[in-house]
Amino acid sequence: MNQEDPLDRQLREAAPYIEDNGFTARVLRQLPAPRQRGRSARPVILIGMSLLASAVAYVLSDGGRFVVVGITRLTVLPSLWIFLLALGAGILVMTGGLVAAMSKTSELRS
Amino acid sequence: MELTDADLITRVLVDDDHHAFGELVRRHQSAVRGLLRQLTRTDLALADDLSQETFIRAYKHIRSFRGEARFSTWLYRIAYNCFREDARRRKELVGIDDQQLQAEHDPQTADAGLRHDLMHALSLLPLPERTAVLLCCQNGVSHDEAARILDIPLGTVKTNVLRGREKLKKTLAAWGPN
């Protein structure tokens, strides 16, 4: 078992704990202001593009006729098929979200 | 459950969380300020100014912290760089040699207290030896980490620690075996 060198012990004892006494507060006051959240243009761009894409799709699809046709076809499908389709879509979305979250985490940790 | 330094750093990186950074400062302020007080030969005002500068730089460059070493090691490196830059400005990078150390140690006039003599002797060491002893002997930093903090070869760290300890032991010898 290693015994601590007396000099090391004396050096450590000669340097007692220094109380904060407002030091942390002074440091924080000098930091730049925190990043403002929600001021990014990204949400505006995404919503704008989505609306534009929807408008274009509506115009090019003869007033959204394809939606009516699609829904009509869905209503005649057996219930089990509709359930499986919904489950598959849900799993797909969840998987995509998990992959995105995990890749973001590993990017931050690296 | 207490958050680790890594958790707090992640919060600072992702959310620019000042509370998380404040907790990091609270955890490490004593060690950083203690080191700088010793390096500046107990000039408390200067040491605290340099300590504040250390943490502000750490915040601004936190993305460059790779996590390969301890956060405290990274802070010590920043603190040491702050000290060196300030000393360069003040042109105080001159150390004191053995003869001067001997001449300055006079049991007749030295203030009472082994601790005070030890700190005084520490303050008289040349900067490379003083820094190495402070990091490795007082703050428990490994020789490898000290080499990284000081950006010098591992062998040089070991030599400086050895020489610094020998000089301090000469001072302690005057107090008798303990």
Side-chain angles (χ1 to χ4, degrees), chain B residues 46-60:
Chain B
L46 176 60
D48 271 10
D49 283 347
L50 293 176
S51 300
Q52 287 186 37
E53 177 64 25
T54 297
F55 284 106
I56 290 166
R57 282 195 197 182
Y59 173 82
K60 288 180 178 173

Side-chain angles (χ1 to χ4, degrees), chain B residues 6-7 10 18 20 23 30 35 55 62 64 90 93 110 113 136 142 146 173:
Chain B
D7 294 332
T10 302
H18 279 202
E23 180 57 27
S30 176
L35 174 68
F55 284 106
I62 200 153
S64 68
R90 295 165 184 264
L93 281 176
C136 298
S142 69

Side-chain angles (χ1 to χ4, degrees), chain B residues 60-73:
Chain B
K60 288 180 178 173
H61 296 104
I62 200 153
R63 288 188 183 278
S64 68
F65 175 64
R66 300 277 175 221
E68 294 157 349
R70 291 183 295 173
F71 185 64
S72 56
T73 304

Side-chain angles (χ1 to χ4, degrees), chain A residues 4-37 104-105 107-110, chain B residues 7 10 12-16 18 21-22 25-26 29-30 33-34 37-38 48 51-52 55-56 59-60 63 66 114-115 118-119 122 133 137-138 165 168-169 172 178:
Chain A
E4 188 182 20
D5 189 289
L7 176 60
D8 289 359
R9 182 176 46 79
Q10 279 157 350
L11 281 166
R12 269 209 338 280
E13 287 172 0
Y17 179 79
I18 301 171
E19 293 297 331
D20 191 279
N21 287 337
F23 176 83
T24 298
R26 287 194 294 277
V27 170
L28 292 178
R29 273 198 295 273
Q30 294 183 62
L31 296 183
R35 283 196 306 266
Q36 294 288 334
R37 304 195 77 183
K104 182 73 175 171
T105 304
E107 185 187 294
L108 283 172
R109 287 193 184 275
S110 68
Chain B
D7 294 332
T10 302
V12 176
L13 285 169
V14 174
D15 296 325
D16 196 19
H18 279 202
F21 189 75
V25 175
R26 265 184 288 275
Q29 58 85 25
S30 176
R33 290 164 79 191
R37 283 182 182 187
Q38 297 291 345
D48 271 10
S51 300
Q52 287 186 37
F55 284 106
I56 290 166
Y59 173 82
K60 288 180 178 173
R63 288 188 183 278
R66 300 277 175 221
L114 165 62
R115 189 174 294 186
L118 178 59
M119 289 298 102
L122 190 59
V133 167
C137 302
Q138 191 174 74
R165 290 169 61 86
L168 291 178
K169 281 181 177 175
L172 293 182
N178 253 357

Side-chain angles (χ1 to χ4, degrees), chain B residues 44-109:
Chain B
L44 301 189
L46 176 60
D48 271 10
D49 283 347
L50 293 176
S51 300
Q52 287 186 37
E53 177 64 25
T54 297
F55 284 106
I56 290 166
R57 282 195 197 182
Y59 173 82
K60 288 180 178 173
H61 296 104
I62 200 153
R63 288 188 183 278
S64 68
F65 175 64
R66 300 277 175 221
E68 294 157 349
R70 291 183 295 173
F71 185 64
S72 56
T73 304
W74 189 64
L75 283 177
Y76 284 148
R77 185 179 172 122
I78 299 173
Y80 182 67
N81 287 340
C82 286
F83 167 74
R84 292 268 313 194
E85 286 166 23
D86 181 78
R88 212 170 285 134
R89 280 195 295 270
R90 295 165 184 264
K91 295 180 182 174
E92 285 179 6
L93 281 176
V94 178
I96 297 179
D97 59 24
D98 279 338
Q99 286 173 333
Q100 215 163 345
L101 180 62
Q102 189 67 30
E104 297 222 17
H105 178 71
D106 179 357
Q108 299 285 330
T109 58

